[in-house]
């Protein structure tokens, strides 16, 4: 049986069996990828260029857009290249780098979403203390902590996963290098340490999710005491989509990483992976920012300036 020292590459799951379907999947993934790049890129540009958006909320949105760009760029380009060139191979080093980057961006993004819920809680429930609690130094420290948590988490899981002896071949049953699928290739009982790490990480993630839900419950209570129905509508239309995307991310990632390896099918694994790795980075620009009047105004100014500079 092959072991990890003899494996130089992994074989990823093909998205289709026929050439026509492979090309169809390539164009579909390309459209999704370009939409995510455009949405997150426009948000980053708007926040960076408009001084009126240099506030804690938009600072965190800028960080979220950058993390979304990194997250979706870790998985989709390789999947598109494999579909276009009709190949499945990814090098051992490339697979390890993909696991590291994906876990880093995903962990940092989830930490940032937790911080953003706290920012909204302070802004709505404690407005008189907002300037003190969320000053520029505090915001920078929080953002750095989110990125740092992503680095530490990804180092832990990548090192633990790729230190395992692999005795079940090199075919990864997923369109990118996903830890649960790599664990299926490990020798019997050798993956238990990484499983413990995953359970611990998801316990922390669940704690963050509870914190986010409690924060939004407090926000809803505060908003419902306001006399303006317009304020109600604005708060609910903003918070409920956030909770929907978070619930989608947590539920699908939990299914992917916590389900027994025996309870698995290629179609289920592929669907779940697409839902937690592709949908959030694509939908976040729409849910968090594109419906925001200040963002729209800043984008219109940026586009007008760009058009004015054209010869």
């Amino acid at each position: 049986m092959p072991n990890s020292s003899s494996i130089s590459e992994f074989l990823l799951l093909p998205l289709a069996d026929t050439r026509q379907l492979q090309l169809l999947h390539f164009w579909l993934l390309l459209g999704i990828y370009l939409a995510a790049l455009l949405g997150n890129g426009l948000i980053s540009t708007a926040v960076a260029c408009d001084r009126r958006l240099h506030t804690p909320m938009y600072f965190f949105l800028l960080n979220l857009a950058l993390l979304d760009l990194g997250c979706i760029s870790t998985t989709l380009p390789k999947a598109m290249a494999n579909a276009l060139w009709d190949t499945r191979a990814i090098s051992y080093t490339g697979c390890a780098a993909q696991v590291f980057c994906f876990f880093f961006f995903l962990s940092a993004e989830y930490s940032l979403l937790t911080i953003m819920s706290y920012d909204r809680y302070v802004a709505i429930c404690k407005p008189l203390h907002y300037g003190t609690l969320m000053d520029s130094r505090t915001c920078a420290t929080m953002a750095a902590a989110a990125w740092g948590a992503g680095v530490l988490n990804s180092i832990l899981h990548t090192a633990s996963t790729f230190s395992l002896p692999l005795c079940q071949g090199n075919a990864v049953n997923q369109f990118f290098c996903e830890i649960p699928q790599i664990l299926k290739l490990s020798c019997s009982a050798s993956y238990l340490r990484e499983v413990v790490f995953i359970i611990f990480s998801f316990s922390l993630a669940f704690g963050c999710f509870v914190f986010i839900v409690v924060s939004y419950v407090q926000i809803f209570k505060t908003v419902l005491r306001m006399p303006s129905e317009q304020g109600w509508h604005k708060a609910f239309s903003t918070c409920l989509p956030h909770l929907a995307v978070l619930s989608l991310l947590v539920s699908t990632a939990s299914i992917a990483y916590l389900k027994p390896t025996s309870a698995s099918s290629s179609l289920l694994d592929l669907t779940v992976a697409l839902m937690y790795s592709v949908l959030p980075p694509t939908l976040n620009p729409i849910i968090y920012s594109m419906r925001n009047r200040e963002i729209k105004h800043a984008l219109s100014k940026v586009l007008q300036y760009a058009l004015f500079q054209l010869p």
Side-chain angles (χ1 to χ4, degrees):
M1 299 294 290
N3 54 46
S4 56
S5 62
S6 64
I7 293 177
S8 60
E9 67 178 17
F10 291 94
L11 300 178
L12 299 177
L13 179 71
L15 294 176
D17 297 328
T18 65
R19 187 61 183 150
Q20 291 78 7
L21 284 178
Q22 284 180 336
L23 293 176
L24 177 63
H25 284 121
F26 165 77
W27 289 111
L28 179 61
L29 293 179
L30 179 61
I32 294 173
Y33 184 56
L34 291 178
L37 288 182
L38 178 63
N40 289 292
L42 286 175
I43 291 170
S44 302
T45 303
V47 175
C49 295
D50 195 326
R51 287 198 167 200
R52 292 181 302 175
L53 300 185
H54 293 178
T55 63
M57 182 179 75
Y58 295 109
F59 171 72
F60 292 134
L61 281 176
L62 172 61
N63 279 267
L64 180 66
L66 295 176
L67 290 171
D68 279 335
L69 285 173
C71 187
I72 201 166
S73 296
T74 301
T75 57
L76 283 196
K78 182 59 178 176
M80 289 188 294
N82 283 356
L84 182 62
W85 302 112
D86 191 19
T87 181
R88 298 174 55 192
I90 182 172
S91 67
Y92 186 92
T93 304
C95 186
Q98 196 174 60
V99 167
F100 176 85
C101 292
F102 182 72
F103 230 88
F104 160 62
F105 288 118
L106 197 65
S107 301
E109 179 170 333
Y110 192 71
S111 300
L112 188 68
L113 291 173
T114 306
I115 294 170
M116 290 172 67
S117 70
Y118 174 74
D119 171 67
R120 292 298 83 206
Y121 165 76
V122 175
I124 295 175
C125 300
K126 299 180 182 294
L128 297 179
H129 302 283
Y130 186 75
T132 303
L133 295 175
M134 301 298 295
D135 58 30
S136 58
R137 183 173 182 178
T138 301
C139 293
T141 302
M142 286 181 169
W147 289 77
V151 171
L152 293 176
N153 202 27
S154 59
I155 289 176
L156 172 67
H157 287 284
T158 305
S160 176
T161 300
F162 285 90
S163 65
L164 298 174
L166 305 180
C167 308
Q168 307 296 326
N170 66 337
V172 178
N173 194 33
Q174 191 53 271
F175 73 95
F176 65 97
C177 286
E178 187 185 47
I179 289 179
Q181 302 302 329
I182 296 174
L183 294 182
K184 292 181 181 180
L185 307 179
S186 63
C187 301
S188 177
S190 63
Y191 61 86
L192 293 179
R193 178 185 58 185
E194 173 58 19
V195 170
V196 171
F197 288 155
I198 289 176
I199 293 174
F200 176 73
S201 294
F202 270 87
S203 298
L204 294 177
F206 181 75
C208 292
F209 183 71
V210 170
F211 176 84
I212 292 169
V213 171
V214 170
S215 298
Y216 280 124
V217 168
Q218 295 301 317
I219 290 172
F220 292 153
K221 287 182 178 180
T222 302
V223 169
L224 288 174
R225 289 196 292 265
M226 296 178 180
S228 171
E229 291 187 6
Q230 185 178 1
W232 295 6
H233 175 74
K234 182 178 180 180
F236 281 105
S237 65
T238 301
C239 296
L240 289 179
H242 296 185
L243 287 175
V245 171
L246 277 168
S247 300
L248 174 69
L249 176 62
V250 173
S251 60
T252 52
S254 298
I255 292 172
Y257 283 82
L258 299 181
K259 74 178 187 303
T261 55
S262 57
S264 179
S265 68
S266 296
L267 180 59
L268 174 63
D269 291 340
L270 180 61
T271 303
V272 167
L274 285 171
M275 292 180 72
Y276 81 83
S277 66
V278 174
L279 280 186
T282 307
L283 295 179
N284 278 342
I286 300 172
I287 291 176
Y288 284 92
S289 302
M290 290 305 184
R291 299 167 66 216
N292 185 291
R293 184 177 300 174
E294 287 79 10
I295 289 285
K296 289 181 180 178
H297 180 69
L299 285 176
S300 65
K301 288 178 60 178
V302 170
L303 292 176
Q304 288 174 6
Y305 178 79
L307 292 174
F308 181 76
Q309 294 298 315
L310 291 176

